[in-house]
């Protein structure tokens, strides 16, 4: 029986995303219009999207 243990990853916040180029997506915090904003950037091709899921 495959039971879900308490230590199983549930809603992990350390989820990794990868760009279509194969590079890893890194989250960056930038200041824009005096507001803090988080963007996702591919560390390989430097593509920037609003959220990691936009790289798919
Ligand atoms: Zn990329």
């Amino acid at each position: 029986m495959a039971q879900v243990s308490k230590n199983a990853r549930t809603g992990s916040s350390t989820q990794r995303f990868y760009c279509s180029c194969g590079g890893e997506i890194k989250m960056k915090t930038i200041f824009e219009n005096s507001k803090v904003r988080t963007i996702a950037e591919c560390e390989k091709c430097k593509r920037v999207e609003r959220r990691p899921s936009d790289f798919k």
Side-chain angles (χ1 to χ4, degrees):
M1 283 293 206
Q3 277 195 314
V4 182
S5 90
K6 270 188 180 179
N7 295 325
R9 50 201 165 86
T10 46
S12 172
S13 58
T14 53
Q15 197 174 356
R16 281 167 185 265
F17 292 93
Y18 292 92
C19 177
S20 52
C21 78
E24 190 176 338
I25 308 303
K26 298 285 185 186
M27 297 307 293
K28 290 176 86 178
T29 304
I30 59 165
F31 288 96
E32 191 182 76
N33 300 326
S34 67
K35 280 183 189 172
V36 180
R37 205 174 133 225
T38 306
I39 57 160
E41 185 187 74
C42 170
E43 64 175 6
K44 197 172 169 185
C45 71
K46 303 299 178 191
R47 181 178 157 190
V48 173
E49 298 289 353
R50 278 202 215 154
R51 54 188 73 215
S53 54
D54 287 345
F55 282 89
K56 286 172 187 170

